[in-house]
Amino acid sequence: MTAYETVAAARAKGRPTALDLINGIFSDFMEMHGDRRFADDKAVVTGVAYLGSLPVTVVGIEKGHSIKERTTRNFGSVHPEGYRKALRQMLLAEKFGRPVVCLVDTAGAYCGIGAEERGQGQAIAENLMEMMTLKTPVISVIIGEGGSGGALALAVADEVWMLENSIYSVISPEGCASILWKDAAKAQEASECLKLTAGDLLQLKIIEKVIPESESLAENLRTELISAVGVLCDMEKDELVEKRYSRFRAIGAY
C-alpha cells in the first residue's frame, strides 16, 4: 500500500478499537474513572486487568464504532482530564508494581478552548515527564492513528509497537499539506514525506515492532505482550528507566 492508503486504513470505520482489543487480550478488566480534578474523559479507557496471569494497568484511547459512541468518546480526541486520568492510573501501577500497556488511537489531543483553559499542554507535558521516569515496564501500541502530542502523551514507553496498518506522525497529512503547500488536497504527497507508516518507523528505529493484522490479532498481540512484559519485568527498576531514557535520546542520532 501507499502511505496515503495506509492513512485511510488506519482511519477505517471497521478497525478494532481499544475496547475491542482490551476485551480480546486481557481478562477481568475493571475500569477506573475520573481524574479527581474535573471530569471523567470518556475518550480514555483505563483500569486494571490480567495479562495471562499477570496483573497489569491498561490505558486505551477509545474512538467508538457508531456515531453515538464516537460522539460520546469525542472521536478519540482526549481532553486534559483524560491524560490526567491515565497518569493517575500509571502512577498507581508504579506504586503497586504493575506493568502498563497503552493502546493508542487518536488523531490528536482535543484543541478546543475549554481544553486549553484546563491546561491541555501542561497535561501532555506532565505525562511525558512522568512516563520517562516511571519505574515499571511500559509498552505502547499504536492501533490506528497516532497523532502528534496527543499520541506521544501515552507513548513514552520501553517499547513502542504499531499494527501494520496504523500510522504515527507529528501531524496529520492534511495539516502538513496545509502548512507546507497551503493546500490540504496535497495530503497524499504529504503522507509520503512524513514517513508515518509502521514500516517507515521501524526502519527509522522509532518503534520496535510491527504487529501483522489478521483475524487472530488479539491472540497474537496477547502472546507478544506476555513475552515482552516478562522480559521487562526481569530488569532492575533503575536499569529499566535508564534504558527507556537512552531509547529516546538515540532517536534521530546518526
Side-chain angles (χ1 to χ4, degrees):
M1 289 196 298
T2 66
Y4 196 64
E5 287 172 340
T6 303
V7 171
R11 295 170 174 173
K13 184 178 179 181
R15 286 189 69 81
T17 66
L19 272 176
D20 293 331
L21 291 175
I22 288 171
N23 292 329
I25 296 169
F26 306 95
S27 61
D28 298 326
F29 176 65
M30 180 179 292
E31 186 175 354
M32 304 296 179
H33 297 276
D35 69 339
R36 292 189 175 179
R37 295 191 193 182
F38 182 76
D40 181 35
D41 186 356
K42 296 187 183 301
V44 173
V45 177
T46 181
V48 293
Y50 280 98
L51 176 62
S53 60
L54 182 69
V56 298
T57 289
V58 184
V59 182
I61 300 179
E62 174 65 23
K63 284 185 174 180
H65 288 291
S66 67
I67 292 297
K68 182 178 180 180
E69 287 177 350
R70 288 183 173 236
T71 302
T72 299
R73 304 288 183 181
N74 203 35
F75 297 86
S77 291
V78 184
H79 290 80
E81 47 271 19
Y83 292 116
R84 290 176 180 134
K85 174 169 71 170
L87 180 58
R88 184 164 78 90
Q89 293 305 315
M90 287 189 281
L91 292 174
L92 285 172
E94 179 185 48
K95 179 178 179 179
F96 293 107
R98 291 191 299 265
V100 177
V101 178
C102 298
L103 304 175
V104 180
D105 186 11
T106 181
Y110 187 60
C111 56
I113 293 175
E116 296 297 335
E117 288 175 340
R118 297 193 302 277
Q120 183 70 286
Q122 182 184 29
I124 292 173
E126 284 179 350
N127 276 36
L128 303 182
M129 179 180 69
E130 294 290 351
M131 289 184 76
M132 185 62 75
T133 59
L134 205 65
K135 292 187 176 180
T136 195
V138 185
I139 294 180
S140 294
V141 186
I142 312 297
I143 64 171
E145 291 185 273
S148 192
L152 187 60
L154 294 180
V156 179
D158 301 298
E159 293 191 14
V160 178
W161 304 349
M162 292 178 67
L163 302 193
E164 64 177 335
N165 293 324
S166 62
I167 58 173
Y168 190 24
S169 174
V170 69
I171 193 172
S172 70
E174 294 80 6
C176 177
S178 296
I179 292 171
L180 293 183
W181 298 294
K182 311 300 181 185
D183 185 1
K186 291 190 175 182
Q188 186 169 344
E189 184 177 349
S191 297
E192 298 294 338
C193 297
L194 285 168
K195 302 297 181 184
L196 44 63
T197 68
D200 288 332
L201 293 166
L202 183 65
Q203 186 176 5
L204 292 169
K205 299 182 179 180
I206 304 296
I207 65 170
E208 279 71 30
K209 187 173 295 187
V210 178
I211 306 295
E213 295 184 31
S214 64
E215 291 182 1
S216 55
L217 172 61
E219 182 179 345
N220 293 340
L221 194 48
R222 183 196 307 117
T223 301
E224 294 281 0
L225 284 169
I226 289 173
S227 175
V229 168
V231 172
L232 293 172
C233 284
D234 287 338
M235 297 177 64
E236 294 292 332
K237 292 180 179 180
D238 289 341
E239 180 188 2
L240 187 73
V241 172
E242 179 59 34
K243 185 178 178 182
R244 188 185 307 144
Y245 177 78
S246 298
R247 175 194 183 279
F248 283 91
R249 291 289 293 176
I251 290 176
Y254 293 91

